[in-house]
Amino acid sequence: MDRDPPAFGGHDAAEIAEETPSGASGGALLDWLIVGGGINGTHVDMRLLDAGRTDLPRLRIVDPAPALLARWRERTAVTGMAFLRSPSMHHLDTEPYALQRFARAGDGELSEVFTAPNDRPSLDLFNTHCAGVLAAY
């Protein structure tokens, strides 16, 4: 899909209202306003768009960061963790095994990008996959 990510980091309500269709009362009309462009907010966004529950002009994510997942990347980079705590089925894509398929399409060994228990993905693999999912939306 050739769409810009629906992020409006750092924008205030007046700026969002200017870019949003107005109703008869002159107020901004949105189907969904998601607070937070982290993992959960971004995943909800992907689910809503994928399910056809809304479209980009009627959806906004409000976050103080300049881009989706920016704070996630900043915070996880300083932890020193190599692998996530969550299993490989927990990721941004709407298909449960998308991260595993993404890893298989790469050049590395799966043992280098997943660890026990529950096939936990490496932080690098997870972030690379997230970037690809965001680019698709």
Side-chain angles (χ1 to χ4, degrees):
M1 295 178 205
D2 293 319
R3 303 186 262 195
D4 292 331
F8 286 88
H11 290 242
D12 64 23
E15 290 175 281
I16 293 170
E18 288 175 12
E19 300 175 16
T20 305
S22 296
S25 65
L29 294 178
L30 294 173
D31 291 333
W32 296 91
L33 176 65
I34 300 170
V35 179
I39 297 294
N40 293 318
T42 303
H43 181 74
V44 167
D45 165 36
M46 301 293 171
R47 286 276 179 189
L48 290 168
L49 292 171
D50 192 58
R53 299 280 313 268
T54 192
D55 54 12
L56 285 177
R58 300 182 58 82
L59 170 70
R60 292 291 183 274
I61 295 177
V62 180
D63 192 279
L68 295 175
L69 305 181
R71 293 173 71 181
W72 159 263
R73 287 190 183 96
E74 290 170 10
R75 290 176 177 167
T76 57
V78 298
T79 65
M81 79 171 147
F83 293 89
L84 273 64
R85 294 181 301 165
S86 301
S88 63
M89 292 177 65
H90 294 224
H91 51 77
L92 288 187
D93 204 313
T94 57
E95 201 284 309
Y97 296 100
L99 180 59
Q100 292 175 355
R101 274 198 307 280
F102 178 79
R104 284 187 188 93
D107 295 332
E109 292 290 321
L110 290 182
S111 62
E112 296 173 6
V113 293
F114 293 105
T115 192
N118 302 320
D119 290 328
R120 295 177 299 126
S122 72
L123 179 59
D124 288 340
L125 173 69
F126 184 83
N127 285 338
T128 302
H129 182 252
C130 286
V133 171
L134 287 174
Y137 281 86

